Amino acid sequence: MQTFYNIVGKIKTLLEADVNVNTVTKGMNSDIDNAKQNVYPLSHVQINEATVEGNLWRFSITTYHLDQLDVTKDPETDKYIGNDDEDDIMNTQLAVFNRMYELLRKGADTATYQMDGNPVCLPGNARFDNGLSGWECTFDILTPNVMTKCDGAAILSACADAQVRSTLSTYITTVLSGEVLVLPDITHIDTDGTPT
Protein backbone atom coordinates (compact mmCIF):
# COMPACT_ATOMS: atom_id res chain seq x y z
CA MET A 1 0.00 0.00 0.00
CA GLN A 2 1.70 3.19 -1.22
CA THR A 3 -1.08 5.61 -0.26
CA PHE A 4 0.59 6.94 2.90
CA TYR A 5 3.94 7.46 1.15
CA ASN A 6 2.25 9.24 -1.76
CA ILE A 7 0.44 11.72 0.48
CA VAL A 8 3.29 12.64 2.84
CA GLY A 9 5.72 12.74 -0.09
CA LYS A 10 3.52 15.11 -2.09
CA ILE A 11 3.04 17.46 0.88
CA LYS A 12 6.81 17.47 1.60
CA THR A 13 7.62 18.22 -2.05
CA LEU A 14 5.18 21.15 -2.20
CA LEU A 15 6.44 22.68 1.05
CA GLU A 16 10.12 22.30 0.11
CA ALA A 17 9.43 24.12 -3.16
CA ASP A 18 7.90 27.13 -1.38
CA VAL A 19 10.19 30.19 -1.21
CA ASN A 20 8.85 31.00 2.28
CA VAL A 21 9.83 27.62 3.79
CA ASN A 22 13.40 26.72 4.78
CA THR A 23 12.81 23.54 6.82
CA VAL A 24 10.19 20.77 6.53
CA THR A 25 9.78 18.27 9.38
CA LYS A 26 7.28 15.52 10.22
CA GLY A 27 6.03 13.93 13.44
CA MET A 28 3.93 14.88 16.44
CA ASN A 29 3.49 18.54 17.31
CA SER A 30 5.66 17.96 20.38
CA ASP A 31 8.54 17.27 17.94
CA ILE A 32 8.44 20.78 16.48
CA ASP A 33 11.78 22.52 17.00
CA ASN A 34 12.98 20.09 19.70
CA ALA A 35 16.57 20.28 18.45
CA LYS A 36 16.39 24.08 18.20
CA GLN A 37 18.63 23.84 15.15
CA ASN A 38 16.03 24.44 12.45
CA VAL A 39 16.37 27.15 9.85
CA TYR A 40 13.18 29.25 9.77
CA PRO A 41 10.52 29.57 8.42
CA LEU A 42 9.52 25.98 9.23
CA SER A 43 6.63 23.79 8.08
CA HIS A 44 5.81 20.67 10.09
CA VAL A 45 3.53 17.81 8.98
CA GLN A 46 1.54 15.72 11.45
CA ILE A 47 -0.70 12.78 10.49
CA ASN A 48 -3.55 12.81 13.03
CA GLU A 49 -5.39 9.67 11.97
CA ALA A 50 -6.31 7.42 9.08
CA THR A 51 -9.85 6.04 8.86
CA VAL A 52 -11.19 3.39 6.49
CA GLU A 53 -14.49 4.43 4.91
CA GLY A 54 -15.39 1.44 2.75
CA ASN A 55 -13.42 1.79 -0.47
CA LEU A 56 -11.72 5.01 0.76
CA TRP A 57 -9.07 6.01 3.26
CA ARG A 58 -9.57 9.35 5.06
CA PHE A 59 -6.36 10.95 6.31
CA SER A 60 -6.65 13.80 8.81
CA ILE A 61 -3.52 15.93 8.55
CA THR A 62 -2.31 18.99 10.42
CA THR A 63 0.41 21.20 9.02
CA TYR A 64 2.16 23.87 11.06
CA HIS A 65 3.60 26.94 9.30
CA LEU A 66 5.87 28.85 11.68
CA ASP A 67 8.58 31.45 11.92
CA GLN A 68 10.54 33.06 14.75
CA LEU A 69 9.30 36.36 16.08
CA ASP A 70 11.60 39.33 15.72
CA VAL A 71 10.98 41.45 18.82
CA THR A 72 12.22 45.03 19.01
CA LYS A 73 13.11 46.80 22.23
CA ASP A 74 11.93 50.14 20.84
CA PRO A 75 9.68 51.81 23.45
CA GLU A 76 7.85 53.73 20.70
CA THR A 77 5.93 50.77 19.33
CA ASP A 78 2.49 50.82 17.78
CA LYS A 79 -0.14 49.81 20.36
CA TYR A 80 -2.09 47.77 17.78
CA ILE A 81 0.77 46.03 15.98
CA GLY A 82 3.02 45.62 19.01
CA ASN A 83 6.78 45.33 19.12
CA ASP A 84 7.26 42.29 16.87
CA ASP A 85 6.69 41.08 13.31
CA GLU A 86 3.86 38.69 14.16
CA ASP A 87 1.44 40.15 11.58
CA ASP A 88 4.04 39.63 8.83
CA ILE A 89 4.60 36.04 9.94
CA MET A 90 0.86 35.32 10.13
CA ASN A 91 0.32 36.74 6.64
CA THR A 92 3.26 34.96 4.99
CA GLN A 93 2.74 31.59 6.66
CA LEU A 94 -0.99 31.52 5.91
CA ALA A 95 -0.03 32.08 2.26
CA VAL A 96 2.33 29.06 2.52
CA PHE A 97 -0.56 26.88 3.69
CA ASN A 98 -2.93 28.28 1.07
CA ARG A 99 -0.46 27.62 -1.76
CA MET A 100 0.17 24.04 -0.60
CA TYR A 101 -3.54 23.33 -0.13
CA GLU A 102 -4.57 24.73 -3.51
CA LEU A 103 -1.81 22.81 -5.31
CA LEU A 104 -3.03 19.64 -3.60
CA ARG A 105 -6.65 20.44 -4.41
CA LYS A 106 -6.07 21.29 -8.08
CA GLY A 107 -2.97 19.16 -8.69
CA ALA A 108 -2.28 16.59 -11.37
CA ASP A 109 -2.58 13.69 -8.90
CA THR A 110 -6.27 14.21 -8.16
CA ALA A 111 -7.03 10.77 -9.62
CA THR A 112 -5.23 9.24 -6.63
CA TYR A 113 -6.48 11.57 -3.91
CA GLN A 114 -9.09 14.24 -3.27
CA MET A 115 -9.35 16.98 -0.66
CA ASP A 116 -12.51 16.76 1.46
CA GLY A 117 -14.24 19.39 3.55
CA ASN A 118 -12.88 22.78 4.49
CA PRO A 119 -9.49 23.25 6.15
CA VAL A 120 -9.39 24.93 9.55
CA CYS A 121 -6.42 27.16 10.44
CA LEU A 122 -5.78 28.30 13.99
CA PRO A 123 -3.19 30.89 15.03
CA GLY A 124 -0.35 28.97 16.65
CA ASN A 125 1.46 31.67 18.61
CA ALA A 126 -0.03 30.67 21.99
CA ARG A 127 1.08 27.03 21.60
CA PHE A 128 4.81 27.59 21.33
CA ASP A 129 6.99 29.01 24.08
CA ASN A 130 10.14 29.27 21.98
CA GLY A 131 9.38 32.50 20.14
CA LEU A 132 7.53 30.92 17.21
CA SER A 133 4.36 32.21 15.63
CA GLY A 134 2.25 31.09 12.69
CA TRP A 135 -0.58 28.72 11.86
CA GLU A 136 -1.84 25.23 12.67
CA CYS A 137 -4.00 24.01 9.76
CA THR A 138 -6.02 20.77 9.69
CA PHE A 139 -7.55 19.19 6.57
CA ASP A 140 -8.71 15.81 5.23
CA ILE A 141 -7.52 13.89 2.17
CA LEU A 142 -9.45 10.96 0.68
CA THR A 143 -7.63 8.21 -1.23
CA PRO A 144 -8.84 4.96 -2.78
CA ASN A 145 -8.57 1.85 -0.62
CA VAL A 146 -6.99 -0.43 -3.21
CA MET A 147 -6.10 -3.19 -0.77
CA THR A 148 -7.74 -6.54 -1.47
CA LYS A 149 -8.28 -9.22 1.15
CA CYS A 150 -5.48 -11.22 -0.46
CA ASP A 151 -2.75 -8.55 -0.35
CA GLY A 152 -0.24 -9.85 2.16
CA ALA A 153 -2.77 -12.30 3.57
CA ALA A 154 -1.46 -14.69 6.21
CA ILE A 155 -4.34 -17.10 5.63
CA LEU A 156 -3.77 -18.36 2.11
CA SER A 157 -7.03 -20.30 2.00
CA ALA A 158 -8.89 -16.98 1.93
CA CYS A 159 -7.12 -16.22 -1.34
CA ALA A 160 -7.24 -19.50 -3.20
CA ASP A 161 -6.42 -19.81 -6.88
CA ALA A 162 -9.38 -20.10 -9.25
CA GLN A 163 -9.90 -22.72 -11.90
CA VAL A 164 -11.58 -21.62 -15.12
CA ARG A 165 -13.26 -24.11 -17.46
CA SER A 166 -15.05 -23.35 -20.70
CA THR A 167 -18.62 -24.53 -21.15
CA LEU A 168 -17.46 -27.21 -23.57
CA SER A 169 -14.71 -28.32 -21.15
CA THR A 170 -12.13 -27.76 -23.87
CA TYR A 171 -10.40 -24.89 -22.11
CA ILE A 172 -9.17 -25.39 -18.53
CA THR A 173 -6.70 -23.12 -16.75
CA THR A 174 -5.81 -21.90 -13.28
CA VAL A 175 -5.74 -18.22 -12.36
CA LEU A 176 -3.41 -17.41 -9.48
CA SER A 177 -4.82 -15.42 -6.60
CA GLY A 178 -4.66 -11.71 -7.35
CA GLU A 179 -4.01 -12.27 -11.07
CA VAL A 180 -6.32 -11.46 -13.99
CA LEU A 181 -7.14 -13.85 -16.84
CA VAL A 182 -7.88 -12.37 -20.24
CA LEU A 183 -9.66 -14.90 -22.45
CA PRO A 184 -9.00 -14.85 -26.17
CA ASP A 185 -11.79 -13.88 -28.52
CA ILE A 186 -13.30 -17.11 -29.84
CA THR A 187 -15.20 -16.78 -33.08
CA HIS A 188 -15.44 -20.44 -34.06
CA ILE A 189 -15.17 -23.88 -32.47
CA ASP A 190 -13.97 -26.71 -34.69
CA THR A 191 -15.80 -30.03 -34.74
CA ASP A 192 -13.11 -31.52 -32.51
CA GLY A 193 -13.90 -28.77 -29.91
CA THR A 194 -10.79 -26.64 -30.54
CA PRO A 195 -11.44 -22.86 -30.41
CA THR A 196 -10.11 -20.87 -33.39
Side-chain angles (χ1 to χ4, degrees):
M1 182 170 133
Q2 296 293 314
T3 303
F4 177 81
Y5 292 122
N6 293 341
I7 291 172
V8 296
K10 182 69 173 177
I11 291 170
K12 178 179 184 275
T13 299
L14 291 173
L15 291 172
E16 285 178 337
D18 196 296
V19 297
N20 291 309
V21 176
N22 288 329
T23 304
V24 178
T25 58
K26 181 171 64 67
M28 301 306 293
N29 63 356
S30 57
D31 298 333
I32 297 173
D33 196 39
N34 275 351
K36 303 199 183 313
Q37 296 177 350
N38 294 310
V39 178
Y40 293 97
L42 173 139
S43 287
H44 182 82
V45 180
Q46 175 179 303
I47 308 299
N48 303 318
E49 65 184 10
T51 308
V52 176
E53 297 180 3
N55 62 348
L56 296 174
W57 274 101
R58 176 181 299 276
F59 289 91
S60 171
I61 299 171
T62 299
T63 55
Y64 297 82
H65 307 278
L66 308 165
D67 202 352
Q68 284 187 317
L69 288 166
D70 184 14
V71 180
T72 179
K73 306 242 189 268
D74 185 0
E76 300 294 322
T77 59
D78 185 292
K79 300 278 188 232
Y80 181 76
I81 296 174
N83 65 339
D84 57 40
D85 62 343
E86 185 173 34
D87 284 356
D88 295 333
I89 291 171
M90 300 297 281
N91 181 64
T92 303
Q93 293 307 305
L94 190 58
V96 168
F97 170 77
N98 192 40
R99 227 176 343 266
M100 178 204 71
Y101 185 82
E102 288 301 313
L103 287 169
L104 284 170
R105 191 172 73 84
K106 297 176 182 174
D109 296 339
T110 53
T112 57
Y113 67 84
Q114 179 179 349
M115 310 308 284
D116 190 50
N118 297 315
V120 175
C121 294
L122 302 171
N125 57 332
R127 292 172 182 75
F128 304 102
D129 58 359
N130 52 359
L132 297 178
S133 186
W135 295 92
E136 171 185 329
C137 301
T138 302
F139 56 96
D140 286 357
I141 295 181
L142 299 175
T143 64
N145 182 2
V146 295
M147 183 75 67
T148 69
K149 70 178 184 176
C150 297
D151 289 342
I155 303 171
L156 296 178
S157 63
C159 304
D161 298 337
Q163 192 170 49
V164 178
R165 179 185 308 256
S166 71
T167 56
L168 298 174
S169 297
T170 58
Y171 183 77
I172 300 172
T173 190
T174 300
V175 182
L176 300 177
S177 174
E179 297 294 320
V180 175
L181 172 67
V182 177
L183 295 174
D185 290 335
I186 299 174
T187 57
H188 180 266
I189 297 179
D190 289 341
T191 55
D192 65 353
T194 306
T196 59

